[in-house]
Amino acid sequence: MNTEPSTAFLGPVESLGRASLDIVGSLGRFGLFLAQAVAWTFIPPFKFRQLLERVHFIGFRSLSIIILTGAFTGMVLGLQVFLTLVRFGSEAFLGPAVALSLIRELGPVLAALMVTGRAGSALTAEIGIMRITEQIDALTVMALNPVRYLIVPVIVAGFITFPLMTAIFDVVGIFGGYLVGVKLLGLSEGTYFGEMRTFVDMADIMTGFWKSLSFGVIVTWVCTYKGYYTGHGAEGVSRATTQAVVLSSVLILVWDYFLGSVLP
Amino acid sequence: MIRIENLHKAFGDQRVLQGVTLEVPSGEIVIVIGRSGGGKSVFLRHLLGLLQPDSGRILVDDVDITGLRGRALDRVRERYGVVFQGGALFDSMTVFDNVAFPLREKSALSPQEIQDRAEEKLAQVGLAGMGHKDPAEISGGMKKRVAIARALVTEPEIVFFDEPTTGLDPVLVNAIHHLILDLHRKFRFTAIMVSHEIPEIFQIAHRVAMLHDGVIVEAGDPKTIQGSANPVVQQFIRGEIEGPIRAT
């Protein structure tokens, strides 16, 4: 009789404790995974061929989606910002408004989200399938470190390609805004680009650069981690892929806010 | 010589290995038999260093590998060749590249020597001229052969086979077993195989060990196992439904 209340109380406490330990354990494993990858990045021999393949996969093969989304983002910005500025008689500032929005915020964030959807999900699925078909175990028993062989090239490729993809997104977006603002709505070309030179400075470009660089690490880190520690079978890979895309996207937005508030 | 002493492993409440003890003499083929889901692959993964036991020791030539990590464990693994259950071929590479891969990554051989060695191994498993194909283009039996060629290309001292004939028809099962036997005669490696191909395994094994309820219930040469008085062993090798092993 006396043990009943304590047993009833212990059940949820035990579950809570177990869940907390699982979370702490997962976070620790998540951090160690990146630490291991960073350490192996600087230990030769370097896997240049794998790195080139990953740069091609993450960067070059995302180019069309980056150009497409960049162009339409710039065009929408051009249209909406023009319609707002014209109310205040300030349409001359369309160029800097489009450029600053793209360079500081939309370029890094949208490029990262697009690459996550196209390449991040595929990376998680690929590494996850390698896990469930014992290909990662095969590497391990060949005395080849799978983190060095599979993960490091992806993270380094993310580091290289995300700023480049963002730069392309920004440039295409600025020309998208030009197309709408100058060619369709009649703003002069000199005003669009001239004011941009006045208001956009190096600090804005560096803000976008640091954001894209960190997004490159976040996306490749999350996506490779989820694939590496995928669950069993097709369902496990499917769940890992969904989790990778959702977690990457959420972290991009949270980290964007954080960096936006600390960077000049 | 590989010696496994009192190996224990549990996953949560499920106790998979409960004191496995086994000796694998150098140069012999030892086959571990037992029910599906009975812990054979878990046992093998311990020998490969992919799982750490809760207690017990695994001695590879008197070196206890259970406490080894990193480079020290890799030095032991460099003596291994492994044929995984599904082949574990790298699907981003051709058949030839799969076989050449361990040499490219781990040996100091020249590209020409690597090509010659990989082609020789492919020929030994009956796949000469198939190197250009992707793993997805070849049959299950061919995949097993490629996996065997890849495992043997570095000429390892110890080769592990995790159910190398699962899912193959009886003709192919025999063909793979004879291939393993031929290669063993040629290279004299120590082999540890997990299988439940009965009675075929009795033709190629030097020793057979039966894993049941987390322990080795009987080990010996094929004749000893076939004539065993242990009802568990008898029921298993005869495939009978009635007996101490419950068909669940």
Side-chain angles (χ1 to χ4, degrees), chain A residues 189-258:
Chain A
E189 189 176 316
T191 308
Y192 186 81
F193 286 113
E195 293 298 327
M196 207 182 289
R197 279 192 208 98
T198 312
F199 285 97
V200 180
D201 56 32
M202 202 56 195
D204 299 312
I205 294 170
M206 288 314 289
T207 298
F209 174 74
W210 291 122
K211 281 185 178 180
S212 61
L213 209 61
S214 53
F215 293 158
V217 175
I218 288 170
V219 170
T220 50
W221 175 23
V222 170
C223 292
T224 51
Y225 172 82
K226 286 290 176 187
Y228 198 79
Y229 291 106
T230 195
H232 299 290
E235 198 188 334
V237 176
S238 149
R239 197 180 304 124
T241 308
T242 308
Q243 285 174 350
V245 173
V246 171
L247 185 60
S248 297
S249 305
V250 170
L251 285 178
I252 286 167
L253 296 174
V254 171
W255 189 244
D256 179 57
Y257 175 77
F258 175 76

Side-chain angles (χ1 to χ4, degrees), chain A residues 47 135 137 143-144 149, chain B residues 45 89-91 101 105-106:
Chain A
K47 302 290 173 193
Q135 292 177 53
D137 290 336
L144 295 167
Y149 196 82
Chain B
R45 290 174 76 81
L89 300 180
F90 302 121
D91 41 27
F101 181 76
E105 293 295 327
K106 299 299 289 184

Side-chain angles (χ1 to χ4, degrees), chain B residues 146-197:
Chain B
V146 177
I148 292 170
R150 187 178 68 180
L152 296 180
V153 76
T154 53
E155 297 180 356
E157 295 163 54
I158 305 160
V159 186
F160 298 88
F161 298 87
D162 187 3
E163 301 192 21
T165 51
T166 300
L168 302 182
D169 64 61
V171 177
L172 269 177
V173 169
N174 256 323
I176 297 282
H177 281 163
H178 280 95
L179 174 66
I180 291 169
L181 200 56
D182 284 346
L183 293 168
H184 179 263
R185 282 188 191 126
K186 232 174 255 174
F187 302 108
R188 307 307 306 173
F189 49 78
T190 304
I192 301 178
M193 186 192 295
V194 159
S195 178
H196 33 214
E197 298 289 357

Side-chain angles (χ1 to χ4, degrees), chain A residues 47 50 126 129-131 133-145 149, chain B residues 45 48 50 74 77-78 82 84-86 88-91 93 101-102 105-106 150:
Chain A
K47 302 290 173 193
Q50 279 83 358
E126 183 188 328
I129 288 168
M130 288 188 78
R131 166 65 73 195
T133 55
E134 297 182 307
Q135 292 177 53
I136 292 180
D137 290 336
L139 281 173
T140 308
V141 297
M142 284 176 197
L144 295 167
N145 188 298
Y149 196 82
Chain B
R45 290 174 76 81
L48 299 174
L50 294 172
D74 281 347
R77 283 173 173 156
E78 280 164 2
V82 185
F84 285 92
Q85 199 170 340
L89 300 180
F90 302 121
D91 41 27
M93 298 180 192
F101 181 76
E105 293 295 327
K106 299 299 289 184
R150 187 178 68 180

